[in-house]
Amino acid sequence: IHQRLLQSKVNFYKVAIGFYGFVWLLRVLENFVDLQAINSVLYNVTNQGQMVTLFFLLVAYLKTGYRKYMQIHWIILAVEFVMVLSSGMKEVMMQNFIPYVIYLFVQVKSGRRNLNTSFIVKMGVIGAFVVFFVFPYVSLYREINWTEERNASVSEVLSEYVEYMTTDKPSTENNRDVDYMMERTGSLGSNTFSIMYADNYGIQPIYMATAFSAIIPRFLWPNKPTIRIGLMVQLMANGNRNWQYTKGQGGAAYTPGFIGSCYMSLGLLYALIMPFIMGIFVTKFWYYFKKRIAENVIAIWAIFTIVATAYKDFENFYDGGVIFCAFALVYCLIINYMEKNGYSKRVS
């Protein structure tokens, strides 16, 4: 990857700024139009598109050595991080660090950077920030706004975070950061719930059918309802047996987990086979996109969807991976079309 990036003739800085402008255009439109109801890819770009910009800025710095590019990278990262403090979602807060971590490992693998003290310190700082700020902050935010329903602002939560970190606490609260990290590892609870639901109420093939319908273009199905899979799982968890009839409402989103969604939809055999099939697909997609990472913005975006999926323990494979594979194939078709028409060679 490192060599292809250095040899590429793409002006990564221009592409980075242009793509970030596109991301903000979609964010402005989101105030007037429900992008998720129109196209889930556009909606995801509003939440994750900045990662493409961050990565391109790092590549531009890697190629030219202009410190301005690295400074812009950190400014955008800081802006994006502050913007999502009110989400209460750890993955949304942490995802903006993924491009920088990839950048560090690409340099190490290429031999441009050694596994020296500087590298270890940088990785340690990121890890410490996640464990001692992100995890306890998210835990406090959810306790205050979701459990206690106090509707506190970000500044109020930050104030309580500072108080929590600087005052003596009962022994049961001393490890909020570590405990929260352990609670989230592997999404065990989500998968367990899905398996228990199927054991108690029978398998739910309609769940998979509903999830699969999300990939049908709206021009082929003009009256397709807005599908919010996470909301359906939330309704299941709250004992609503009519969850499949409430696709269009808003609300909190839960995940049934990858293996859990397979088991709940089509039973044990499907839950055993599907992870192996998805492993093959994800590997194939990874190598396909990686070969094109230096020339194609679509490939960059696709790489980050795979990285984000692995980083979240595949918990966003709540449909058995059907939607992920469908969109990955669409990305491949778009890239092939661009290559056949010489788009990548014209980028400058």
Side-chain angles (χ1 to χ4, degrees):
I1 292 178
H2 179 267
Q3 197 62 32
R4 284 196 292 271
L5 290 174
L6 291 182
Q7 294 175 352
S8 173
K9 297 180 180 180
V10 174
N11 187 324
F12 288 104
Y13 175 71
K14 287 185 177 180
V15 176
I17 299 303
F19 194 80
Y20 197 49
F22 175 65
V23 170
W24 272 100
L25 174 62
L26 292 179
R27 289 174 176 176
V28 172
L29 289 176
E30 177 68 14
N31 293 317
F32 306 98
V33 181
D34 186 358
L35 290 179
Q36 190 171 13
I38 298 174
N39 188 294
S40 59
V41 173
L42 294 178
Y43 176 76
N44 287 335
V45 170
T46 66
N47 297 311
Q48 298 179 318
Q50 73 278 1
M51 291 198 295
V52 175
T53 290
L54 293 171
F55 183 78
F56 274 147
L57 286 170
L58 290 169
V59 174
Y61 172 73
L62 192 67
K63 289 188 64 177
T64 65
Y66 293 161
R67 294 186 62 84
K68 177 182 73 172
Y69 298 156
M70 180 64 79
Q71 292 167 352
I72 295 174
H73 161 269
W74 287 115
I75 290 172
I76 292 177
L77 190 152
V79 169
E80 294 292 333
F81 185 83
V82 171
M83 286 176 57
V84 297
L85 284 174
S86 61
S87 69
M89 302 294 289
K90 75 177 192 317
E91 61 270 17
V92 177
M93 296 170 66
M94 294 163 56
Q95 68 183 4
N96 295 306
F97 293 95
I98 292 177
Y100 187 69
V101 173
I102 293 177
Y103 159 79
L104 290 177
F105 276 102
V106 165
Q107 283 196 303
V108 169
K109 188 174 181 180
S110 67
R112 185 164 177 169
R113 178 189 293 269
N114 296 322
L115 284 170
N116 53 21
T117 304
S118 174
F119 175 83
I120 295 173
V121 168
K122 288 179 179 179
M123 294 301 297
V125 168
I126 293 175
F129 179 76
V130 169
V131 172
F132 296 110
F133 176 78
V134 174
F135 285 157
Y137 173 85
V138 169
S139 179
L140 280 169
Y141 184 93
R142 293 183 175 187
E143 180 180 316
I144 293 169
N145 288 318
W146 297 6
T147 303
E148 300 177 5
E149 298 183 349
R150 285 160 50 186
N151 196 28
S153 65
V154 169
S155 60
E156 291 173 318
V157 178
L158 285 173
S159 177
E160 295 210 19
Y161 163 79
V162 172
E163 181 180 353
Y164 165 77
M165 296 299 290
T166 56
T167 58
D168 292 333
K169 301 170 286 295
S171 59
T172 54
E173 295 184 7
N174 279 340
N175 296 314
R176 182 188 290 270
D177 40 20
V178 177
D179 288 346
Y180 183 73
M181 177 174 64
M182 296 304 294
E183 288 172 6
R184 295 295 298 168
T185 299
S187 303
L188 180 61
S190 298
N191 288 287
T192 301
F193 162 77
S194 303
I195 293 170
M196 292 178 62
Y197 191 91
D199 289 343
N200 291 332
Y201 301 110
I203 62 172
Q204 308 287 322
I206 190 172
Y207 173 85
M208 186 63 72
T210 303
F212 184 80
S213 68
I215 69 175
I216 301 175
R218 199 163 289 276
F219 69 85
L220 295 178
W221 186 1
N223 297 321
K224 184 178 75 171
T226 300
I227 297 172
R228 304 190 188 280
I229 297 174
L231 172 62
M232 293 194 296
V233 181
Q234 182 222 22
L235 294 175
M236 288 182 195
N238 290 330
N240 189 333
R241 297 296 305 280
N242 295 318
W243 49 266
Q244 65 268 33
Y245 300 114
T246 54
K247 307 183 193 71
Q249 299 178 9
Y254 293 0
T255 173
F258 176 27
I259 295 175
S261 66
C262 293
Y263 186 99
M264 181 176 65
S265 299
L266 297 173
L268 177 61
L269 184 61
Y270 187 72
L272 292 174
I273 294 175
M274 196 61 183
F276 290 99
I277 295 175
M278 288 307 304
I280 295 172
F281 270 105
V282 171
T283 301
K284 295 289 187 183
F285 287 139
W286 173 264
Y287 282 108
Y288 177 88
F289 296 132
K290 189 176 76 169
K291 291 179 181 178
R292 294 158 174 83
I293 197 172
E295 301 289 343
N296 197 293
V297 67
I298 304 297
I300 292 283
W301 169 252
I303 282 287
F304 279 119
T305 63
I306 295 176
V307 172
T309 293
Y311 144 74
K312 292 176 64 177
D313 297 329
F314 291 85
E315 70 177 40
N316 59 334
F317 275 16
Y318 42 66
D319 54 359
V322 171
I323 294 178
F324 174 88
C325 285
F327 279 122
L329 288 171
V330 170
Y331 297 149
C332 291
L333 291 173
I334 294 173
I335 291 172
N336 283 342
Y337 174 82
M338 295 171 71
E339 289 178 344
K340 288 180 180 178
N341 289 274
Y343 175 82
S344 296
K345 295 179 181 179
R346 293 198 302 269
V347 176
S348 61

